């Protein structure tokens, strides 16, 4: 067997030993120290399934040891292989878990399968010591399930793919104009009406093509509980997004009184069937506030994490400008304009969440008009929103669209399916630097981390999601985890060499990634109009 030490993401330190390999066999035992019992269960489920080895509990001369060492960084780990054993220590159970992901990589691609492909195989791994810890505490992936619904099993699969790449925050984009995906027991029409649309635009919104099949789906509250628990077992935090006050046409279609009824016939609205930014936004009324407070009460009961994402982006103000109700609200609050009205709306929920021990996070538009203390910002319109937020004392997650929006096309070739946005190659993502150089050391400390975003308007199937996400998510994972050199000095050639082995892992995991040579015939979408943008993206 050829042993691979082409680890992705790259560890902080890797030392090899010329001594012979370590072998795992039927007698290899799994010794789980205090606090690592859950990690041991996951390792048996994955490595045990792939190898067919029983990995029985207990100590022995041939063993895998798991232990917590509080002297290590919380998510850091140390993996060392000896003559007949492997020892993985982590600063917390999470650190131990990330160490087990490295163990799987060291055993080769077949360690990522769900059953043994060669039952008589001798499993070997090299003699190494790996010392490792992540650069950022927030290493995220946002998955948009509102534009195209991804069934629960697909979400669980993406949590496994995140874990294999040491990503630890799953931003779950659950609501938008084109669909409401989470059951809210108090408001059943949100899913009865809001979770499906009659047809779907095929391609970019300028495309003349339509898919005339109804599209929809939603997650029951038990589905959500399962997803959250599944993520927690993999040391992934789920951050739900409930979009307000824009991107809300699906909610308005379900409950027309949420919209600006004095300027538009909201009862005639359906769930939006095309892409772009709907003009139909929430009315700034007490009823709307109480409605969404009830929604968030159920959301808080399902998602125990620190942050709740409220969107806050791309809220057209035209209906508010024409609405007597909105004008009266601005007069009552002594607000100068509609931007300040949106700031008031977001501020209400920032205070409401803070009173319940949670923190609001939203897209960088929430900075307009001022932001409540404690609220955090997802900087998507380039770097400047994040820079402004950090300088104002707010925590930031860097996700600028010109680098880490994975719906953007991966190549300029004519075969690229439904080409959207700028060309963002694997190398472009690898050279992405989350922390802007103009920040001081104190301001840079406000950067919690970084996140790749997968918007699914033109991703009609799980295979399309895979194609857009991989292999670029592997490069992003290294940016988020590893202490890389400055962007221009990063050794992309070395990363490409390591990716040769990593493609085989993705094959074993069943990922329909974009091959380095370009899309396979069935990955193309000839004749489906996209929206390509030429030239380099703005670097700001």
């Amino acid at each position: 067997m050829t042993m691979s030490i082409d680890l992705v993401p790259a560890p902080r330190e890797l030392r090899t030993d010329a001594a012979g390999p370590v072998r795992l066999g039927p007698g290899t035992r799994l010794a789980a120290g205090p606090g690592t019992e859950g990690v041991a269960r996951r390792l048996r489920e994955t490595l045990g399934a792939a190898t067919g080895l029983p990995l029985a509990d207990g100590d022995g001369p041939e063993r895998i040891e798991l232990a917590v060492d509080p002297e290590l960084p919380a998510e850091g780990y140390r993996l060392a292989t000896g003559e007949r054993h492997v020892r993985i220590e982590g600063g917390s159970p999470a650190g131990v878990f990330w160490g087990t992901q490295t163990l799987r990589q060291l055993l080769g691609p077949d360690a990522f399968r769900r059953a043994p492909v060669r039952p008589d195989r001798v499993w070997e791994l090299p003699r190494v010591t790996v010392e490792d810890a992540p650069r950022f505490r927030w290493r995220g992936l946002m998955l948009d399930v509102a534009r195209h619904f991804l069934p629960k099993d697909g979400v669980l699969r993406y949590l496994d793919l995140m874990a294999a790449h040491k990503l630890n925050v799953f931003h779950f984009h659950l609501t938008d104009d084109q669909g409401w995906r989470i059951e809210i027991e108090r408001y059943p029409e949100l899913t009865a009406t809001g979770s499906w649309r009659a047809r779907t635009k095929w391609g970019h919104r300028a495309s003349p093509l339509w898919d005339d099949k109804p599209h929809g789906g939603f997650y029951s509250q038990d589905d959500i509980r399962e997803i959250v628990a599944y993520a927690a077992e993999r040391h992934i935090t789920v951050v739900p997004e409930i979009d307000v006050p824009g991107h809300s046409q699906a909610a308005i279609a379900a409950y027309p009184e949420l919209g600006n009824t004095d300027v538009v016939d909201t009862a005639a609205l359906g769930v939006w069937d095309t892409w772009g930014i709907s003009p139909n936004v929430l009315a700034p009324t007490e009823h709307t506030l109480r409605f969404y407070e009830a929604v968030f009460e159920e959301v808080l009961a399902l998602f125990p994490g620190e942050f709740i994402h409220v969107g806050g982006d791309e809220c057209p103000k035209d209906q508010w400008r024409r609405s007597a109700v909105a004008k009266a609200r601005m007069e009552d609050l002594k607000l100068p304009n509609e931007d300040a009205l949106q700031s008031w709306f977001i501020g209400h929920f920032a205070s409401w969440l803070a009173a319940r021990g949670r923190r609001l996070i939203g897209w960088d538009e929430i900075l307009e008009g001022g932001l409540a203390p404690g609220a955090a910002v997802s900087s998507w319109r380039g770097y400047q929103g994040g820079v402004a937020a950090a300088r104002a004392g707010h925590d930031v997650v860097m996700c600028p669209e010109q680098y880490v929006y994975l719906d953007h096309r991966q190549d300029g070739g004519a075969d690229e399916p439904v080409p959207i946005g700028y060309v963002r190659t694997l190398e472009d993502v690898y050279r992405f630097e989350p922390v802007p150089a103009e920040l001081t050391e104190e301001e840079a400390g406000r950067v919690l981390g970084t996140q790749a975003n997968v918007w699914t308007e033109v991703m009609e199937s799980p295979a399309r999601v895979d194609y857009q996400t991989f292999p670029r998510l592997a490069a992003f994972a290294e940016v988020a985890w590893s202490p890389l050199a400055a962007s221009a000095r990063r050794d992309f050639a070395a990363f490409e060499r390591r990716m040769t082995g990593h493609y085989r892992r993705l094959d074993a995991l069943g990922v329909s990634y974009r091959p380095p040579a370009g899309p396979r015939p069935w990955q193309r979408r000839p004749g489906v109009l996209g929206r390509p943008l030429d030239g380099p993206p703005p670097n700001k």
Side-chain angles (χ1 to χ4, degrees):
M1 176 179 99
T2 301
M3 289 176 289
S4 172
I5 52 174
D6 294 333
L7 301 177
V8 176
R12 288 176 179 265
E13 186 175 352
L14 171 67
R15 300 188 298 275
T16 59
D17 189 317
V22 183
R23 291 182 172 85
L24 305 183
T28 301
R29 304 182 75 85
L30 182 54
T36 71
E37 296 85 357
V39 180
R41 284 194 297 274
R42 299 288 80 73
L43 190 60
R44 265 194 203 91
E45 289 173 0
T46 54
L47 193 58
T51 62
L53 301 178
L55 300 177
D57 277 323
D59 210 347
E62 298 176 2
R63 66 192 182 279
I64 300 171
E65 303 173 56
L66 308 178
V68 172
D69 179 357
E71 298 297 314
L72 293 172
E75 287 191 276
Y77 68 90
R78 180 188 302 112
L79 183 154
T81 58
E83 185 176 354
R84 301 174 68 186
H85 72 278
V86 179
R87 182 172 176 83
I88 302 172
E89 301 167 298
S92 68
V96 180
F97 180 75
W98 304 131
T100 65
Q101 301 309 305
T102 298
L103 173 64
R104 293 172 73 196
Q105 290 198 14
L106 289 169
L107 284 165
D110 286 346
F112 289 86
R113 297 189 180 274
R114 296 186 184 183
V117 292
R118 287 182 287 278
D120 57 348
R121 175 176 184 165
V122 176
W123 290 88
E124 297 181 339
L125 65 158
R127 292 283 287 273
V128 295
T129 299
V130 180
E131 307 246 9
D132 204 5
R135 179 183 178 191
F136 293 111
R137 59 171 274 203
W138 186 303
R139 307 180 301 281
L141 173 68
M142 189 229 68
L143 188 58
D144 167 20
V145 296
R147 273 50 176 270
H148 278 101
F149 179 66
L150 188 66
K152 181 192 68 179
D153 284 353
V155 176
L156 300 180
R157 173 176 174 264
Y158 258 81
L159 291 169
D160 283 332
L161 292 172
M162 288 178 64
H165 291 84
K166 299 185 174 75
L167 299 174
N168 71 338
V169 178
F170 179 56
H171 177 164
F172 205 7
H173 184 81
L174 287 163
T175 74
D176 218 296
D177 299 309
Q178 296 86 359
W180 184 285
R181 304 295 179 214
I182 178 173
E183 177 190 22
I184 300 297
E185 292 176 349
R186 183 166 174 176
Y187 300 121
E189 285 302 313
L190 286 172
T191 47
T193 296
S195 72
W196 69 277
R197 57 184 181 261
R199 64 176 187 169
T200 297
K201 175 64 72 173
W202 179 219
H204 181 252
R205 61 180 177 270
S207 167
L209 304 176
W210 292 90
D211 180 347
D212 288 320
K213 296 190 301 292
H215 178 87
F218 68 92
Y219 309 102
S220 71
Q221 293 205 357
D222 278 346
D223 290 337
I224 294 292
R225 292 183 184 99
E226 180 183 357
I227 288 167
V228 170
Y230 195 89
E233 289 172 348
R234 288 148 183 79
H235 300 275
I236 295 170
T237 299
V238 183
V239 175
E241 181 178 354
I242 307 295
D243 233 320
V244 296
H247 287 291
S248 297
Q249 185 166 325
I252 296 168
Y255 291 92
E257 68 273 16
L258 295 173
N260 295 283
T261 57
D262 59 341
V263 297
V264 66
D265 179 11
T266 57
L269 295 175
V271 177
W272 217 27
D273 57 12
T274 190
W275 315 126
I277 304 171
S278 169
N280 297 296
V281 303
L282 297 176
T285 63
E286 289 299 316
H287 174 75
T288 300
L289 297 181
R290 299 295 88 74
F291 184 99
Y292 273 87
E293 286 170 0
V295 168
F296 281 120
E297 283 174 359
E298 295 191 29
V299 168
L300 295 188
L302 294 168
F303 297 92
E306 178 182 6
F307 288 98
I308 302 294
H309 207 291
V310 301
D313 62 319
E314 297 179 329
C315 179
K317 309 298 193 302
D318 182 63
Q319 290 183 1
W320 287 355
R321 292 186 186 99
R322 294 186 289 130
S323 167
V325 171
K327 290 176 181 176
R329 173 66 81 178
M330 287 191 290
E331 289 174 7
D332 289 345
L333 297 170
K334 297 181 172 55
L335 300 176
N337 53 41
E338 289 79 11
D339 287 341
L341 184 61
Q342 177 171 342
S343 177
W344 164 81
F345 197 105
I346 296 297
H348 173 86
F349 287 103
S351 299
W352 189 90
L353 288 168
R356 288 153 183 82
R358 305 297 187 92
R359 293 178 66 188
L360 178 145
I361 185 169
W363 303 111
D364 54 56
E365 286 96 329
I366 68 174
L367 285 164
E368 297 163 7
L371 186 56
V377 170
S378 301
S379 185
W380 76 274
R381 295 179 301 176
Y383 287 102
Q384 292 310 305
V387 169
R391 287 177 173 167
H394 295 285
D395 288 339
V396 179
V397 176
M398 282 293 187
C399 47
E401 64 170 328
Q402 68 266 44
Y403 281 100
V404 290
Y405 268 37
L406 300 186
D407 52 315
H408 283 214
R409 57 193 173 134
Q410 303 183 65
D411 188 86
D415 287 335
E416 210 61 32
V418 199
I420 298 296
Y422 296 103
V423 172
R424 295 288 83 191
T425 65
L426 184 67
E427 181 172 359
D428 290 328
V429 175
Y430 190 68
R431 296 195 185 281
F432 164 56
E433 172 49 51
V435 180
E438 62 260 45
L439 293 182
T440 67
E441 184 177 353
E442 181 180 356
E443 292 164 350
R446 289 288 187 183
V447 179
L448 299 177
T450 183
Q451 181 173 288
N453 295 338
V454 181
W455 300 103
T456 62
E457 287 93 337
V458 298
M459 301 181 209
E460 77 287 351
S461 68
R464 277 287 288 131
V465 176
D466 277 8
Y467 179 91
Q468 291 299 132
T469 305
F470 288 97
R472 291 182 295 181
L473 192 68
F476 172 80
E478 186 149 316
V479 169
W481 178 278
S482 305
L484 300 177
S487 177
R489 294 192 289 107
R490 290 178 189 169
D491 191 346
F492 178 69
F495 176 75
E496 274 193 308
R497 287 192 293 272
R498 284 185 285 119
M499 281 300 297
T500 301
H502 198 65
Y503 286 120
R504 295 175 60 209
R505 297 178 191 124
L506 296 178
D507 288 333
L509 287 163
V511 176
S512 299
Y513 58 86
R514 181 190 188 277
R520 297 180 171 96
W522 57 88
Q523 293 175 320
R524 301 167 189 161
R525 297 291 185 275
V528 182
L529 185 65
R531 186 179 64 95
L533 298 174
D534 294 328
N539 186 23
K540 61 180 181 178

